[in-house]
Amino acid sequence: MTPTVDAQRLQRELDTLASFSEQPAPAVTRVVFGEMDLRARAYLKTLFAEASLDVHEDPVGNTFARWTGANPSLPRVATGSHCDAIPNAGRFDGTVGVLGGLEAIRALQRAGFIPQRSIELVLFTSEEPTRFGIGCLGSRLLASALDPSVGDTLMSGGQSLNQIRASAGFSGPLADVALRDDAYSAFVELHIEQGPTLDRDRIDIGIVTAIAAPASFRIFVEGEGGHAGAVLMPDRRDAFLAAAEIALAIERIARSSGSIDTVATTGVCELFPGAINSVPSRTRLDVDVRDIDHGRRDAVLRDIDRACETIAAGRRVTVRIEPINADPPAHCAPVIVDAIERACDIRGLQHRRMISRAYHDSLFMSRVAPTGMIFIPCRDGISHRPEEYASPDAISHGAEVLADTLAVLAG
Ligand code: GLV
Ligand code: MN
Ligand code: MN
C-alpha cells in the first residue's frame, strides 16, 4: 500500500485556513479564542467531519477527530498540531501538521487501509503563548503538566482563561483535559523546520530526535516616574533604562554560554506610563531562553538572576522575576524515529536526524506517549514571519511520510 496525498486539495485547504487572519495576507495572526481562531476551528471541523472522522472537543478546546480502527479498545495512534498563529506570522507553522495530518488520514482511507488502532487527529489549543503567556497550553493540560487552577490565574485583557474559554463555547472542568495513561500508543507531529538546515542542504525530511528545553519568564522593574523636563539626570531611577541594561545582559549571557545552541530573546517590553514626556516608572520584559542542554539552560537562568540583582542595585530600582515555565527537553522514541526513517527510505526521500530548536506540542505529548516529529524544509528557514513558505512538494512529502508512519504504528 502506497498512500498518495492530494497535493492540490491540501494547498487549497491551507489557502482557506490562511484566510482566517486578523491581518491582511501574507501575514497571518490568529490568536486563540479570537474570532478568526474560532472560524478556523469551525472550518477544520467541517473538513474532519467530511472525512468521516468523529469529532469531539475537551474543556480547553483541544479538538480530536477520530478514525475508528478495527480494534477500538487499543490505545490510539495520534497526530496533529496547532492552528493559532502569533502576531505577524506566516501560514504554515502548525497548520501543515493539522491539514497534512488530515490529508495523511484521507490518503490512507483512499488506499483502502484498515487501521487496527484508531487514528486520532488532534488540533491543540494555544500552542503559541500570545494570549495567555504560556506556550503549549492545550498539550500541557493533556499531559497533566499544568495545574488546572490556571483557569482562574491565566489572564488576558482582564479576563481569566475560564471566562474566555466559556465565551468561546468551551466549558467543563480543566481537570478533565488530562489524558488517561493508556490513551495513545504513539504521537507523531508533522511541522515545518522553522530553521534553515533542510532547505540549505536540500534534504526532504528532518527526523527529530529531541526538542530543545524552553524556559520563559517575566521581569518586572520598578523605579520612579516623573516629569521628563524637571527630573534631573542624576536623580533618575528610570525603570526602562534598567530593563534595557537587563535585556543587553541577557544577550551577553546567552552569547557567552559556550555553545551556539543557547538562545535568549526579550520579545516583549511594556513601559508605564508610556508617555514621551514621562520618565518610565515601571517596565515589564518577557524573556524566552532555550538550549538543547538542560543544565546549560538552567545555568543561563541563574546568571540572568544575578545580573538582574547587580543592575537593580546600580540603578536603584527593584527587579522581580516571575517564572512562566522551565521545561526539560524531550526525546523522541527510537521506534518512531526508525519508522519515519524507513518510510523516507522506501519513498527515496533524503532525510536527516536533527534536533528541534523550536518547541511544539510534541514536547508535552512525549510525556504521555512515545513521540516523533517529521520536519519539512521551509524557505531560508524563515518562520514566525509573513514570508514563511513551504513548497507544495515539501508538504506532500511530509504528509506521505506521515501517512506511512501512521500506517506502521496503527498496524
Ligand atoms: C513555537 O512557536 C516556538 O516558539 O518554538
Ligand atoms: Mn510558532
Ligand atoms: Mn508550531
Side-chain angles (χ1 to χ4, degrees):
M1 181 205 56
T2 310
T4 308
V5 310
D6 181 340
Q8 285 185 355
R9 177 178 186 176
L10 183 49
Q11 287 304 313
R12 274 199 311 276
E13 291 172 348
L14 283 163
D15 287 348
T16 304
L17 189 52
S19 71
F20 301 113
S21 169
E22 293 156 33
Q23 271 184 294
V28 176
T29 299
R30 204 158 40 231
V31 177
V32 66
F33 299 144
E35 186 199 336
M36 289 302 166
D37 178 54
L38 296 179
R39 286 177 59 187
R41 287 164 180 264
Y43 170 64
L44 289 169
K45 282 186 284 185
T46 310
L47 297 183
F48 299 162
E50 276 171 17
S52 306
L53 306 179
D54 294 323
V55 179
H56 78 273
E57 293 160 327
D58 72 12
V60 80
N62 290 315
T63 302
F64 306 85
R66 185 178 304 176
W67 180 19
T68 302
N71 211 332
S73 60
L74 289 175
R76 309 179 291 278
V77 170
T79 185
S81 196
H82 61 101
C83 78
D84 61 325
I86 68 163
N88 202 40
R91 54 159 62 190
F92 298 99
D93 176 3
T95 56
V96 161
V98 177
L99 287 169
L102 173 63
E103 181 53 24
I105 288 174
R106 289 186 305 221
L108 288 168
Q109 291 172 335
R110 285 193 298 271
F113 178 69
I114 312 246
Q116 285 303 308
R117 296 174 186 276
S118 300
I119 297 182
E120 196 151 278
L121 178 61
V122 188
L123 172 65
F124 294 97
T125 286
S126 196
E127 191 266 356
E128 303 289 5
T130 312
R131 184 148 196 190
F132 295 105
I134 186 159
C136 300
L137 177 63
S139 50
R140 277 180 202 273
L141 287 164
L142 286 170
S144 306
L146 197 60
D147 194 287
S149 63
V150 294
D152 292 317
T153 54
L154 288 179
M155 304 293 290
S156 165
Q159 285 193 301
S160 69
L161 166 59
N162 280 342
Q163 290 169 319
I164 293 169
R165 71 186 171 95
S167 316
F170 302 107
S171 56
L174 283 187
D176 290 356
V177 174
L179 285 170
R180 288 171 43 146
D181 284 350
D182 61 350
Y184 295 129
S185 62
F187 176 75
V188 192
E189 182 171 3
L190 170 65
H191 206 282
I192 56 170
E193 181 196 351
Q194 305 184 282
T197 63
L198 297 176
D199 186 47
R200 185 189 59 213
D201 299 342
R202 303 198 182 285
I203 307 280
D204 302 305
I205 298 288
I207 306 173
V208 175
T209 54
I211 303 174
S216 62
F217 50 94
R218 294 205 160 113
I219 301 180
F220 296 91
V221 183
E222 183 145 3
E224 190 171 23
H227 195 286
V231 184
L232 297 180
M233 297 311 280
D235 299 331
R236 290 195 182 194
R237 296 167 53 224
D238 184 318
F240 167 66
L241 293 180
E245 262 195 60
I246 290 172
L248 290 172
I250 290 170
E251 181 198 33
R252 194 182 59 249
I253 291 164
R255 290 178 73 121
S256 56
S257 77
S259 170
I260 194 75
D261 293 325
T262 314
V263 287
T265 308
T266 302
V268 174
C269 175
E270 270 185 16
L271 306 188
F272 182 83
I276 191 171
N277 53 355
S278 182
V279 179
S281 59
R282 295 202 296 268
T283 299
R284 184 187 111 199
L285 302 178
D286 289 3
V287 184
D288 175 307
V289 178
R290 310 183 192 203
D291 203 310
I292 57 172
D293 185 292
H294 194 185
R296 194 168 52 220
R297 198 276 318 272
D298 284 350
V300 164
L301 296 182
R302 287 193 294 276
D303 286 351
I304 292 173
D305 273 4
R306 278 194 287 274
C308 285
E309 281 173 22
T310 310
I311 292 164
R315 286 196 168 264
R316 299 179 299 123
V317 298
T318 59
V319 176
R320 182 170 62 83
I321 300 182
E322 188 179 282
I324 298 172
N325 65 297
D327 303 305
H331 297 280
C332 293
V335 59
I336 301 184
V337 168
D338 291 348
I340 299 169
E341 199 159 61
R342 258 195 318 279
C344 293
D345 285 336
I346 289 167
R347 287 190 183 262
L349 296 170
Q350 297 285 332
H351 54 84
R352 170 185 290 168
R353 294 185 180 208
M354 60 189 301
I355 299 282
S356 171
R357 294 175 185 280
Y359 60 68
H360 305 281
D361 294 302
S362 290
L363 188 67
F364 293 95
M365 293 307 284
S366 70
R367 299 189 187 190
V368 288
T371 290
M373 288 196 76
I374 299 166
F375 272 0
I376 57 166
C378 55
R379 191 163 61 202
D380 298 328
I382 290 172
S383 185
H384 282 184
R385 281 169 47 187
E387 299 88 342
E388 187 176 81
Y389 176 78
S391 72
D393 275 355
I395 295 170
S396 298
H397 290 150
E400 287 180 343
V401 170
L402 175 61
D404 295 349
T405 308
L406 294 175
V408 169
L409 297 171

